[in-house]
Amino acid sequence: MTDNNPAAPQRGMWSSRLAFILAATGSAVGLGNIWKFPYVTGENGGGAFVMVYLLCIAIIGIPIMMAEVFIGRNGRHNPIASFRLVAERNLASPAWRVSAIVGVLAAFIILSFYSVIGGWAAAYIGHAATGDFTGQSADAIGTLFGDLLASPGVLLAWHTLFMALIIVVVARGLKSGLERAVNILMPALFVLLLITVGYAATTDGFGQAVSFLFTPDFSALTVDGVLIALGHAFFTLSLGMAIMMAYGSYLSRDVSIGRTAVTVSIMDTVVALLAGLAIFPVVFANGLEAGAGPGLIFQTLPLAFGQMPMGGLFGTLFFVLLLFAAWTSGISLLEPVVEWVEENLSVGRSGSAVLVGGACWLLGVASILSLNEWSGFAPLGMFERFAGMTIFDLLDFFTANVMLPLSGLLTAVFVGWFVAKESLKVDLALEGGSFTLWYNLIRYVTPIAVAIVFAYNLLA
Ligand code: PHE
């Protein structure tokens, strides 16, 4: 069967279902799993937060991922155009595409600061390789991280490199380079994580880490924590950013969207939990602070690498893989925006990649300065809710907690209530009971859950 839509520009196709799974997993698995999940879990008290997060993945994340891939594959255009086409085919208002517009904008904003953090990973490859962690105290390693954040020039250099890496791949078109890279990188990342967990299991903090992650203490959970868990479920699965629509637009018709989305989500969740099991034992064994915030993995893992045999080698490999995980995610953030620019302005694929990547790079500079020169600058400081939040904090907060859930909510309502049930049945290809389950989740549970969290967010 041919998928070619005569109105669509020349579009590539994933070479197999596995290629899509790896690319989507490459997008999903990134800094969110290895850097952000452990530190937000630490800041929000552990087990109870993890349970809420898992629940968000199951009843909100997975159903929305299926809906997004459905829209992409059904529309076969850039996310905004796909949304409009699917709406028209179902006799719904083309205004629904605002969901994809919010998503594409969010992808752009997120990439600006994601690239800065990707740069930290790149910087740490150098530190690991030259033995900077060997035998160091927790204090010395903390200072190393503090010094990095205090140096705008160094941060800028790594941010520039990271953004360039992304632009190069996206400019070439996503298929051959990206597919080949994720084929090797994703299994390698997995193996390395297992080795790190294996090491962590030998430290005396392991038992404490397991109970921290898996024994829920609901008194440690705040309403804010629930909001953050939901935002993180979106972030970690790359939802609400039009990415799964963009990737879905290259997916062959014979693939079951349902089973594929579940596979991707499970792999993403497993990586996040493994990262927690790799990091918290080291935190507890060394008496570090679990709620240390964004610096957590840059201060705990180096400590472990500095003490284990061949730590220089493992440390280097680990940060290389962290960089690659961030790289495949960064590519997926640029892709939807570039697709849109390419299909709307006549600057070609490379032109679009350079244009969008360049603009994103510029915005990233504001995040870099938030870490040092502008660290006291809180643009929305007059509101108590945002007191003390830098530009970097605000971009992170508004994308993860407002834009992604908003885009996801609109997508859920649109797909659940405005798309013909028959066409969903065919495309998702879920067996009887699972389809009904999904359909009820996307119509009722997902929108209501997201709306409640939203309402709280606006009223609190
Ligand atoms: N899901 C990625 C992660 O967990 C981050 C990401 C967000 C990637 C949005 C692409 C889009 O790191």
Side-chain angles (χ1 to χ4, degrees):
M1 138 158 234
T2 94
D3 280 303
N4 290 335
N5 178 333
Q10 269 280 309
R11 295 182 78 78
M13 220 37 125
W14 300 109
S15 46
S16 64
R17 170 174 181 260
L18 183 67
F20 172 82
I21 290 186
L22 286 175
T25 307
S27 170
V29 171
L31 297 168
N33 305 65
I34 302 168
W35 163 74
K36 195 169 182 183
F37 172 74
Y39 96 73
V40 291
T41 299
E43 285 182 336
N44 289 283
F49 176 85
V50 173
M51 276 186 58
V52 175
Y53 159 78
L54 292 177
L55 194 70
C56 288
I57 297 276
I59 66 170
I60 300 174
I62 295 179
I64 291 185
M65 185 183 292
M66 292 182 195
E68 288 197 6
V69 177
F70 164 81
I71 290 173
R73 189 170 76 177
N74 209 278
R76 290 248 183 270
H77 277 68
N78 74 66
I80 298 172
S82 289
F83 223 108
R84 183 173 44 76
L85 277 170
V86 176
E88 281 166 1
R89 275 175 206 154
N90 289 280
L91 308 177
S93 162
W96 280 105
R97 72 185 185 288
V98 71
S99 165
I101 296 176
V102 173
V104 169
L105 264 175
F108 179 81
I109 297 173
I110 289 176
L111 181 56
S112 75
F113 64 80
Y114 202 80
S115 168
V116 174
I117 305 162
W120 301 354
Y124 267 60
I125 296 173
H127 286 311
T130 54
D132 287 351
F133 309 142
T134 316
Q136 293 293 353
S137 66
D139 274 353
I141 282 175
T143 307
L144 195 68
F145 185 65
D147 286 348
L148 173 67
L149 298 197
S151 325
V154 178
L155 291 172
L156 186 68
W158 291 115
H159 164 58
T160 307
L161 175 82
F162 188 84
M163 194 63 88
L165 283 175
I166 290 172
I167 294 175
V168 166
V169 174
V170 174
R172 290 194 181 165
L174 95 164
K175 205 175 152 187
S176 51
L178 178 63
E179 274 193 20
R180 221 171 298 141
V182 290
N183 252 326
I184 303 166
L185 296 173
M186 298 316 291
L189 177 69
F190 212 74
V191 170
L192 245 115
L193 259 178
L194 287 177
I195 293 174
T196 325
V197 174
Y199 166 79
T202 67
T203 67
D204 34 345
F206 197 71
Q208 204 183 337
V210 170
S211 69
F212 178 72
L213 282 171
F214 299 110
T215 314
D217 166 11
F218 284 97
S219 67
L221 188 69
T222 59
V223 185
D224 249 5
V226 175
L227 188 68
I228 291 171
L230 175 74
H232 187 64
F234 274 94
F235 185 87
T236 191
L237 293 180
S238 305
L239 300 177
M241 265 161 288
I243 288 172
M244 293 299 161
M245 294 178 204
Y247 277 14
S249 75
Y250 303 110
L251 186 63
S252 146
R253 283 252 166 252
D254 341 307
V255 172
S256 154
I257 291 178
R259 273 192 301 135
T260 308
V262 170
T263 310
V264 172
S265 306
I266 290 178
M267 296 217 276
D268 184 73
T269 306
V270 167
V271 171
L273 295 175
L274 283 177
L277 286 176
I279 290 159
F280 285 111
V282 182
V283 172
F284 295 127
N286 293 283
L288 301 171
E289 179 53 56
L296 192 63
I297 76 162
F298 293 95
Q299 299 179 46
T300 57
L301 286 183
L303 197 60
F305 291 132
Q307 289 163 9
M308 63 166 110
M310 299 207 298
L313 178 66
F314 282 131
T316 308
L317 283 177
F318 179 84
F319 284 108
V320 167
L321 289 165
L322 181 63
L323 176 68
F324 283 129
W327 188 14
T328 51
S329 298
I331 290 166
S332 74
L333 281 164
L334 191 55
E335 175 66 24
V337 195
V338 166
E339 271 189 25
W340 184 83
V341 170
E342 191 190 2
E343 290 179 24
N344 285 280
L345 313 175
S346 41
V347 284
R349 178 88 190 173
S350 314
S352 319
V354 172
L355 201 72
V356 179
C360 216
W361 174 87
L362 200 62
L363 183 58
V365 174
S367 290
I368 288 182
L369 293 172
S370 300
L371 297 167
N372 34 69
E373 312 290 327
W374 297 354
S375 62
F377 175 45
L380 298 183
M382 59 285 218
F383 304 104
E384 205 196 325
R385 185 94 175 78
F386 304 116
M389 290 173 84
T390 62
I391 296 180
F392 191 160
D393 298 331
L394 290 169
L395 293 178
D396 181 23
F397 182 88
F398 277 108
T399 48
N401 299 312
V402 181
M403 297 178 80
L404 309 190
L406 177 64
S407 169
L409 176 63
L410 292 171
T411 301
V413 172
F414 171 71
V415 170
W417 295 89
F418 293 86
V419 173
K421 192 171 175 184
E422 271 321 299
S423 92
L424 293 171
K425 251 192 178 146
V426 172
D427 266 3
L428 264 62
L430 285 166
E431 284 80 43
S434 336
F435 179 81
T436 310
L437 175 64
W438 172 81
Y439 200 55
N440 285 309
L441 286 174
I442 201 83
R443 280 167 76 88
Y444 305 104
V445 180
T446 307
I448 291 172
V450 179
I452 289 175
V453 175
F454 234 168
Y456 166 79
N457 196 18
L458 294 181
L459 301 176

